[in-house]
């Protein structure tokens, strides 16, 4: 579906032309998983696919939501904030509420959303809806907020309105992405740096497990609490705000204080994963893709064994890929519990990788995986 098709659909639904269009991408995280809310580093990039938002103002104080790829369409007014919906419109409504809280008039639009990010696949389809809404409201309300503010508003909408206690990585990557660059983001200070993706004949291949992610949100929130518990325990000996403040050696010095073995493993993942991101950024900057790949493999193993957010689907895709010729590294990306892997594959071995891993996955898990070659694109923006 291209923008012309979307404009046509908009006219069919609303009987008038769309006056403006906006876009926000999805994201893939290369390494640094479950480090953002632990005050650590992440290394994501924006994708070329994402969410389009077309709109035209209306004459009343209501807003109509339609979508081509998601269920629910209808017109709501300010009461919708109170009777929080269970459908996808909770994402734009959460962002609208944040703008309304800041005194902006957010009502009075006919909206059409279309996303080509697979939903619930760990590629930030929800952050993309939030950020495209924030960019749209910033423009329509003449709010003059900068992109980092819009990113924070979008994260807050997800935390408070949607109720998922996510970190800032997804919204940041979606808002601030740059074509052919990964973002080295320190989630404690929000300092960031763009690192060119010099791929030397390798491709980033995303493989979708196509597994439904049941209970992922509650398990995600549970991991966060476990990390908070570890911070509190270590702080009895040495005051820290976040686990990722610790080096590996420092963690080993204090880890015995954490009595609960599960919590200790969660904390170990956060600390070691953060150090892996530091090494991976250096490796990419110095053109050492081999080391980058090994760090990806180590990241997956830690997410499997210590953080326990993988499962047979992600493990099969990542581990079967890691063994193949022409593959430098493979790991799960995003929150886990289903979703996608990201794999560094030599360009002329991509077909081979897809065929072999797809077949093994089908045999072992009895699901079809879907593969995409990641095209690293720009962050959220106004189209017209
Ligand atoms: C989800 C969250 C992010 C981050 C990742 C795990 O995508 O939205 O904030 O915590 O999981 O790295």
């Amino acid at each position: 579906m291209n923008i012309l098709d979307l404009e046509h659909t908009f006219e069919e639904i609303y009987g008038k032309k769309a006056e403006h269009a906006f876009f926000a991408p999805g994201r893939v995280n290369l390494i640094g998983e479950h480090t953002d809310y632990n005050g650590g580093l992440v290394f994501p990039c924006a994708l070329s696919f994402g969410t389009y938002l077309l709109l035209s103002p209306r004459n009343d104080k209501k807003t109509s939501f339609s979508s081509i790829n998601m269920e629910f369409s209808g017109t709501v007014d300010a009461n919708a904030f109170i009777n929080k919906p269970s459908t996808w419109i909770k994402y734009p409504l959460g962002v609208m509420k944040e703008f309304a809280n800041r005194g902006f008039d957010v009502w009075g639009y006919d909206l059409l959303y279309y996303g080509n990010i697979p939903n619930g696949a760990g590629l930030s389809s929800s952050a993309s809806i939030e950020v495209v809404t924030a960019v749209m409201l910033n423009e329509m309300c003449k709010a003059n907020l900068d992109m980092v503010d819009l990113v924070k508003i979008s994260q807050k909408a997800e935390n408070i309105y949607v109720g998922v206690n996510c970190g800032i990585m997804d919204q940041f990557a979606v808002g601030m992405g740059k074509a052919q660059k990964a973002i080295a983001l320190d989630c404690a200070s929000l300092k960031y740096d763009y690192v060119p993706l010099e791929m030397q004949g390798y491709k980033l291949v995303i493989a979708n497990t196509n597994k439904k992610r049941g209970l992922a949100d509650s398990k995600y929130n549970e991991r966060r609490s476990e990390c908070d518990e570890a911070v509190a325990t270590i702080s009895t000996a040495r005051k820290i705000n976040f686990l990722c403040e610790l080096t590996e050696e420092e963690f080993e010095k204090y880890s015995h204080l954490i009595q609960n073995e599960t919590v200790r493993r969660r904390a170990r993942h956060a600390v070691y994963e953060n150090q892996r991101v530091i090494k991976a950024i250096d490796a990419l900057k110095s053109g050492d893709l081999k080391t980058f790949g090994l760090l990806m493999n180590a990241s997956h193993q830690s997410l499997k064994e210590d953080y326990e957010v993988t499962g047979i689907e992600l493990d099969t895709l990542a581990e079967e890929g890691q063994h193949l010729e022409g593959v430098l590294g493979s790991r799960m990306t995003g929150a886990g519990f289903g979703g996608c892997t990201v794999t560094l594959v030599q360009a002329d071995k991509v077909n081979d990788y897809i065929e072999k891993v797809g077949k093994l996955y089908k045999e072992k898990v009895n699901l079809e995986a879907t593969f995409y070659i990641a095209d690293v694109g720009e962050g959220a923006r106004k189209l017209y």
Side-chain angles (χ1 to χ4, degrees):
M1 180 127 328
N2 62 30
I3 191 84
L4 289 175
D5 299 326
L6 292 178
E7 286 166 347
H8 184 73
T9 308
F10 189 95
E11 273 188 69
E12 269 180 11
I13 297 173
Y14 293 118
K16 56 186 173 182
K17 279 196 185 323
E19 286 185 18
H20 297 288
F22 301 84
F23 174 78
R27 68 96 188 90
V28 59
N29 187 23
L30 303 183
I31 192 160
E33 224 60 83
H34 294 276
T35 44
D36 60 351
Y37 53 83
N38 284 309
L41 291 157
V42 292
F43 203 30
C45 28
L47 294 167
S48 58
F49 49 57
T51 309
Y52 292 82
L53 169 55
L54 273 63
L55 95 148
S56 167
R58 327 170 23 114
N59 296 324
D60 57 12
K61 289 287 162 208
K62 293 182 178 172
T63 288
S64 288
F65 293 90
S66 300
S67 167
I68 296 170
N69 59 306
M70 296 173 290
E71 270 173 48
F72 179 84
S73 60
T75 304
V76 298
D77 58 23
N79 280 328
F81 283 153
I82 304 154
N83 310 316
K84 192 169 88 180
S86 56
T87 62
W88 65 273
I89 70 162
K90 65 187 171 201
Y91 300 111
L93 276 178
V95 175
M96 287 164 65
K97 184 139 198 293
E98 285 301 318
F99 271 80
N101 290 346
R102 287 164 177 77
F104 295 108
D105 179 6
V106 297
W107 298 99
Y109 301 104
D110 286 324
L111 304 174
L112 174 64
Y113 286 81
Y114 167 68
N116 51 10
I117 313 171
N119 283 338
L123 301 177
S124 292
S125 51
S126 36
S128 168
I129 298 173
E130 289 154 3
V131 176
V132 80
T133 306
V135 172
M136 177 278 282
L137 287 173
N138 192 37
E139 172 81 19
M140 302 311 289
C141 303
K142 301 196 172 33
N144 258 322
L145 300 170
D146 66 25
M147 189 57 90
V148 175
D149 287 330
L150 301 179
V151 162
K152 289 182 188 161
I153 284 177
S154 302
Q155 183 202 11
K156 209 163 169 203
E158 176 107 18
N159 291 164
I160 294 174
Y161 197 74
V162 178
V164 179
N165 213 359
C166 67
I168 200 160
M169 168 171 73
D170 300 352
Q171 290 79 7
F172 200 97
V174 166
M176 300 290 289
K178 286 250 177 292
Q180 312 319 322
K181 294 200 166 63
I183 314 169
L185 170 67
D186 176 341
C187 299
S189 65
L190 291 192
K191 286 202 179 113
Y192 61 96
D193 182 21
Y194 292 108
V195 182
L197 282 166
E198 273 152 23
M199 299 300 292
Q200 307 168 37
Y202 282 82
K203 298 272 179 204
L204 288 167
V205 184
I206 296 171
N208 189 345
T209 58
N210 288 318
K211 183 205 170 191
K212 284 247 168 301
R213 293 201 296 171
L215 294 179
D217 293 352
S218 62
K219 286 189 196 152
Y220 183 91
N221 289 345
E222 181 187 293
R223 293 297 181 281
R224 281 204 70 153
S225 321
E226 288 164 341
C227 291
D228 291 346
E229 190 183 326
V231 167
T233 307
I234 291 175
S235 286
T236 58
R238 174 187 156 170
K239 176 81 190 99
I240 52 168
N241 293 313
F242 297 113
L243 286 170
C244 293
E245 288 165 27
L246 300 173
T247 61
E248 290 141 331
E249 294 73 25
E250 287 166 337
F251 174 73
E252 295 307 336
K253 186 169 158 203
Y254 298 114
S255 66
H256 70 278
L257 296 171
I258 308 171
Q259 302 288 314
N260 182 316
E261 193 262 342
T262 305
V263 174
R264 201 182 318 129
R265 279 188 289 118
R266 305 294 190 247
R268 182 167 61 200
H269 166 77
V271 171
Y272 280 71
E273 179 77 350
N274 190 49
Q275 298 299 318
R276 274 189 287 274
V277 187
I278 297 173
K279 292 174 195 151
I281 294 169
D282 281 349
L284 189 64
K285 282 184 175 165
S286 59
D288 184 358
L289 289 185
K290 205 164 165 224
T291 298
F292 195 92
L294 292 173
L295 291 161
M296 290 172 81
N297 294 348
S299 166
H300 185 86
Q301 196 183 349
S302 172
L303 287 155
K304 175 184 178 182
E305 289 166 7
D306 279 350
Y307 222 64
E308 294 182 286
V309 291
T310 58
I312 185 171
E313 297 84 4
L314 285 166
D315 291 339
T316 304
L317 285 183
E319 289 167 359
E320 295 296 352
Q322 289 168 4
H323 297 135
L324 296 179
E325 199 198 323
V327 172
L328 292 184
S330 186
R331 59 181 291 278
M332 57 150 272
T333 184
F337 315 106
C340 292
T341 58
V342 56
T343 305
L344 196 50
V345 192
Q346 201 176 301
D348 60 1
K349 294 279 193 290
V350 168
N351 289 339
D352 199 43
Y353 158 82
I354 293 177
E355 195 186 309
K356 289 197 171 124
V357 171
K359 184 164 173 281
L360 287 162
Y361 183 70
K362 172 89 193 162
E363 279 166 15
K364 202 158 166 186
V365 182
N366 204 21
L367 280 173
E368 295 284 346
T370 325
F371 297 87
Y372 326 84
I373 297 190
D375 183 17
V376 176
E378 291 283 329
R381 59 199 178 265
K382 183 181 180 188
L383 299 176
Y384 59 82

